[in-house]
Structures are given as structure tokens and as C-alpha cells.
Amino acid sequence: MSDELIRLSAAELGEKLAAGDVSSVEATRAHLDRIAAVDGAVHAFLHVEGERALETAADLDRRRAAGEALGPLAGVPIAIKDVLVTKGMPSTSGSRILEGWIPPYDATPVTKVREAGLIPLGKTNMDEFAMGSSTEHSAYGPTHNPWDLDRIPGGSGGGSAASVAAFEAPLALGSDTGGSIRQPAHVTGTVGVKPTYGAVSRYGSIALASSLDQIGPVTRTVLDAALLHDVIAGHDPLDSTSLPMAWPSMADAVRRADVSGLRIGVIKELDGAGFQPGVRQRFHEALELLERGGAEIVEVSAPHFEYSIAAYYLILPAEASSNLAKFDSVRFGLRVTPDGAGTVEQVMSATREAGFGPEVKRRIILGTYALSAGYYDAYYGSAQKVRTLVQRDFDAAFAKVDVLASPTAPTTAFKFGEKLADPVSMYLNDIATIPANLAGVPGISVPTGLAPEDGLPVGIQFLAPAREDARLYNVGGALEQLLVAEWGGPLLGRAPDLTAHELSATEEGAL
Ligand code: GLN
């Protein structure tokens, strides 16, 4: 029973809860049991709130029994990326500098999932301050990919993706500044969505780069992502960049999915050199399926996408260096007082030296340099001009097609340590995902199968014009239906049985 419960999609679990076939306490306990059994090996979670989750679930069951009208995800457990602050629950953003800090309020997306009756299980692991593509930059040790425990689960939101792929949670929240929802989805065989910039409130999301950050769903099916998207999207007066508009139902877009007549543009610059053959093979097979489903596939060019990484790795560090200035030993978390010294500057400097990891320091230095007088125009100013050119590439492409498509990332999951010593090789992972953040447009990653050469999951990315998130759910939902029919079941049904690792030495050590 409990194994069956954890394998249901969130939508299916929601239906069973509504029908009274199962209680939220049972569903929550099943996921907590799963976490206890496999998270020693996976390390998706930084913090699990078992007791509180069971109490929230019991309360929800009582409300349901009293006849309260509840939404489709009420009673379903959820994992939350540690970038989002949670009232009374540790929130570290993967950093030592926030160790021990207990926020006094909930981020708006957390408030919204609570109001929708979802049950927060705990906080998921991530690269420190969401900087990275592998979770190896987490101050608390990496998360392991459930498909192969020696490999990375993507980043920065590897914990959220792995928790969902390992059936520890049916759903999770993530954040995407340059791909941190979509790239982990690609390497773990899950679905990840970066909504339009401003669609979901960033209030209470520990800022990395404020002009790029966006919160979004991490799930096993496109419908689940849509249901969660419908819960978290909407205007929030507490975030001045939040869009004041009413959104159509994303779940309806999935339920009515139909690609006949849809024009899909394949981005020429993201379909060639540097992409693993198996990633491209599955990408083209997915496009063929969509074509058979009635879509029209055309090639489009986005000539400035090749400069996206260079522009992003100036804009992001510039904004991050400013956002991270608030971690000063006075307001939050860690405080290190050097021997016998008392000046505020010495305490700040010792705290930041001890509290930030090497990647965070690298980006603070890069960002401060790029913003400094004399270099501002050459670096930050030029990067902003490239950003405009990337936005124009999107405008030109969307004048011809309804959605764009590319592989979500160049390769399948790499091994731990493979890219750690060379930051630029890590940054190159983001080649396909970054343009969407620079332009503020929405993107989805949907699994397309396993790469033939290594048997690891790969995904396809679709991008739509700003505010047209529903198009992603339409095309993603249609493709998923076609693929699952071809596979004879969901891709994650083929993932290794992690309970075999339950008693391994690593797991015991980690627990
Ligand atoms: N890999 C990207 C980076 O390191 C993605 C970050 C993100 O989306 N949070 O900046």
C-alpha cells in the first residue's frame, strides 16, 4: 500500500484523497517512510519536518471530514527548495552562513501551497545560493542522482528533482535563475517548469539574481506541474515585479492538449556541436512524434544565443554580489568573531570568509569587479546590451513559430568531480536554459527517454513567449501522452530500486 501510494502522481493521489480512499496522514507517512529508507543514499533533503507534516496532514483530514471544499492537491505532500524561506523551519539556501537561522515568515509560494492544503515535508538540498549545476556546491554535501548514485542530480535544484525522482515527494518547488529547475529535470527524468518572469512571487525567495530568478514546479508529470503552477502563480503586492494579471488554468491546457497546427521552431544554434549524440537522438525522435501528432516543425535561428552564457555570467554575479551583501553577521545566521578583535568590519569579514563557499566567493568577486567604476560600461553595460539582443532573437523567432524547442542540456548526468575543478565547464551546462532567463520567457523540460549510450534520462525544452505559459503545458502534455504510450508506462518506472541501497555503508554513514 505505501509503495503504491508513493508511486502515484500528485493528481492521482489528490483524487484518492478526495474520494476518501486514503487519508493525508497515510499519504504523508508513506512519503516520510520512503525518505527514511532512501534519503541516506540520495540526500535530497537538508531538513525533514516529520512531526509537523503529520500534524498538518491530520488537520487537513479533519477539514475534509467536516465537508470543507478543497483544491485538487489538498492533502498531497510537497518538498520545498531551501531557497524559499519557511516560517519556523530552517532555511539555509545551501549555505553555512545561514546555518541555524529560522525565518519568521513564509515565502509567498510557500503560503500559497499551504493555503491549497499541500503538506510541506521539508527543505531540499541545493548548490549554495543556487549557484551551480550539480549540487556539489552545497555546503552540506551533494545530492545523488537516483538513476545512478555516483552521478550529479543537476543543479542548483538537484534536491528537489531527486526527491521527486526517488518517490520521496510527489511534487517539489524549485527556483530557476539560469536553468536550476529545468536542467535537474533533464538529468533525473522529471518535469520542470520556469514560469514567465513575474508569474510567481519571489517574496521570501532568497535572491540570487533578482532580474532572472523565478520560482516553479518540479514534478513527475506535466499535469502535476500544471496543477502546482495554478496554485503558486498570481499577483503578489509584496513583490514589485509580480505581474498584475489573471492567468488561464494550466491544468486545462494539459487536459485539452492538442498540437495539431502548432508551429514548433527548432533552435539551430542549440542542436549541434557540443550536444551528446543520445541527447540529440531522443530530441529528434520527440520532434518526429509531435510532427505525427500534427505539429509543424521548422528550423529557426537565434544568432545571439551563443553570447548568452558570457552575458549571464556577468549579470548574475553583479546582481548576486549586491544581493549577498546583506549576509553581514549582524542580521542573519552565522557570526564569527576573530580572536581578540572587535571591529564590525573584522567580524563581517571573518564571518563571510567562513560562511561562504568558493563558488559564492568567486561570483562575489566577479560581480564586484564587473560593477566597479571604470569597468561598468565594458562588462555590465555590454552584458545588458547582449541581453537586449537575445530578447530580440526571441521576438523574431516568435513572430514565426508558437513555441521553440531544444534539448534541455548538452549531456546526461555527469559524475561527481568531473566539472568541479573547472568552473567554465560547469557554466557551459547552462547553454540551452539561460536565454529564457535573460528574456523572461517561460520554459518547460519534459523527459524524452534514456540516452542509448549510457541509459540515463534526457529532456526536451520548450520555450514560449512571455505570459504564454499555457502553450508549454499544451505541447508538453501532448508529448508526454505520446511518449508514455510508446514506452508503455512512465519513464521513472524504469529507475533503479533504491531500497537495494538501504543498508549500504554510505547510507548508514550518511544517516
Ligand atoms: N547553473 C546556473 C548557475 O550556476 C543556474 C543557477 C540557477 O538557475 N539558480 O548560475
Side-chain angles (χ1 to χ4, degrees):
M1 174 66 172
S2 109
D3 193 58
E4 224 173 89
L5 280 180
I6 59 167
R7 280 167 202 278
L8 296 172
S9 70
E12 290 163 345
L13 181 55
E15 278 168 21
K16 282 198 185 296
L17 287 159
D21 295 347
V22 61
S23 71
S24 180
V25 167
E26 285 171 290
T28 304
R29 187 162 287 135
H31 287 93
L32 291 170
D33 288 349
R34 176 69 174 176
I35 293 170
V38 305
D39 208 52
V42 178
H43 192 225
F45 284 88
L46 291 177
H47 177 74
V48 178
E49 287 246 320
E51 287 289 301
R52 190 166 156 194
L54 288 167
E55 279 166 28
T56 315
D59 183 50
L60 200 277
D61 287 336
R62 276 192 293 274
R63 285 166 55 193
R64 195 187 298 279
E68 201 176 308
L70 298 164
L73 295 178
V76 175
I78 185 166
I80 297 170
K81 188 177 181 183
D82 211 27
V83 75
L84 290 164
V85 306
T86 39
K87 187 174 178 178
M89 215 192 273
S91 305
T92 66
S93 206
S95 182
R96 282 275 169 232
I97 211 157
L98 280 176
E99 200 170 14
W101 180 58
I102 309 285
Y105 69 106
D106 276 329
T108 297
V110 175
T111 305
K112 290 199 172 203
V113 300
R114 284 193 200 282
E115 283 170 1
L118 285 133
I119 316 292
L121 293 169
K123 308 299 290 289
T124 57
N125 196 17
M126 55 184 284
D127 286 292
E128 186 174 3
F129 287 112
M131 298 178 186
S133 308
S134 69
T135 74
E136 291 169 290
H137 294 310
S138 167
Y140 304 97
T143 296
H144 299 252
N145 191 321
W147 288 85
D148 178 345
L149 296 172
D150 294 329
R151 290 177 189 266
I152 61 103
S156 65
S160 280
S163 73
V164 167
F167 300 96
E168 295 172 270
L171 303 156
L173 286 176
S175 70
D176 191 310
T177 305
S180 288
I181 290 177
R182 289 163 289 157
Q183 181 257 9
H186 165 94
V187 294
T188 57
T190 55
V191 175
V193 178
K194 181 200 97 71
T196 293
Y197 180 75
V200 180
S201 172
R202 291 181 297 107
Y203 180 71
S205 165
I206 298 171
L208 169 54
S210 310
S211 76
L212 302 161
D213 294 347
Q214 186 56 201
I215 304 301
V218 177
T219 59
R220 290 193 292 265
T221 71
V222 177
L223 178 60
D224 285 359
L227 289 166
L228 185 53
H229 192 130
D230 288 338
V231 167
I232 58 177
H235 182 244
D236 178 10
L238 298 172
D239 171 1
S240 61
T241 60
S242 157
L243 290 167
M245 64 177 276
W247 293 89
S249 160
M250 304 299 155
D252 281 354
V254 179
R255 293 198 180 103
R256 296 197 207 114
D258 176 7
V259 290
S260 48
L262 189 82
R263 284 166 308 162
I264 302 177
V266 175
I267 307 167
K268 192 172 86 184
E269 288 77 7
L270 296 175
D271 183 26
F275 284 80
Q276 190 179 317
V279 171
R280 291 192 61 212
Q281 185 185 325
R282 295 294 180 235
F283 171 64
H284 285 281
E285 287 167 1
L287 292 173
E288 273 164 37
L289 268 185
L290 287 165
E291 202 165 21
R292 272 188 264 148
E296 191 190 327
I297 313 290
V298 296
E299 192 184 82
V300 299
S301 173
H304 299 98
F305 278 21
E306 66 169 303
Y307 308 113
S308 293
I309 291 194
Y312 172 91
Y313 279 98
L314 281 167
I315 294 168
L316 178 138
E319 293 187 21
S321 68
S322 161
N323 276 326
L324 297 181
K326 64 179 163 287
F327 300 107
D328 58 2
S329 78
V330 178
R331 284 173 268 211
F332 317 89
L334 188 74
R335 177 176 304 165
V336 176
T337 312
D339 295 337
T343 74
V344 74
E345 260 181 28
Q346 283 163 330
V347 174
M348 268 182 208
S349 145
T351 302
R352 286 167 71 86
E353 164 60 27
F356 288 141
E359 181 62 22
V360 174
K361 286 177 182 152
R362 181 178 297 123
R363 295 199 196 189
I364 290 175
I365 291 168
L366 246 171
T368 333
Y369 181 78
L371 288 177
S372 55
Y375 294 105
Y376 183 93
D377 286 336
Y379 295 113
Y380 187 73
S382 305
Q384 291 292 14
K385 286 178 188 153
V386 171
R387 188 171 190 174
T388 303
L389 294 173
V390 169
Q391 285 162 348
R392 287 191 191 149
D393 279 0
F394 273 113
D395 291 344
F398 287 132
K400 295 191 205 119
V401 296
D402 301 305
V403 295
L404 292 167
S406 77
T408 309
T411 68
T412 53
F414 46 90
K415 291 217 159 113
F416 289 116
E418 223 174 272
K419 298 186 193 262
L420 205 51
D422 176 6
V424 174
S425 74
M426 190 76 88
Y427 301 166
L428 289 173
N429 255 288
D430 309 332
I431 178 97
T433 45
I434 278 175
N437 300 79
L438 289 177
V441 305
I444 189 172
S445 179
V446 179
T448 50
L450 305 178
E453 58 268 52
D454 54 21
L456 292 166
V458 295
I460 186 171
Q461 167 182 247
F462 297 105
L463 304 169
R467 298 180 172 82
E468 296 294 342
D469 305 47
R471 289 190 201 172
L472 302 178
Y473 288 102
N474 174 41
V475 63
L479 175 64
E480 179 184 64
Q481 255 180 36
L482 295 165
L483 282 169
V484 172
E486 213 178 67
W487 298 331
L491 188 68
L492 276 159
R494 284 189 257 164
D497 174 16
L498 291 164
T499 50
H501 297 273
E502 207 176 330
L503 296 172
S504 76
T506 3
E507 177 175 329
E508 273 179 12
L511 277 174

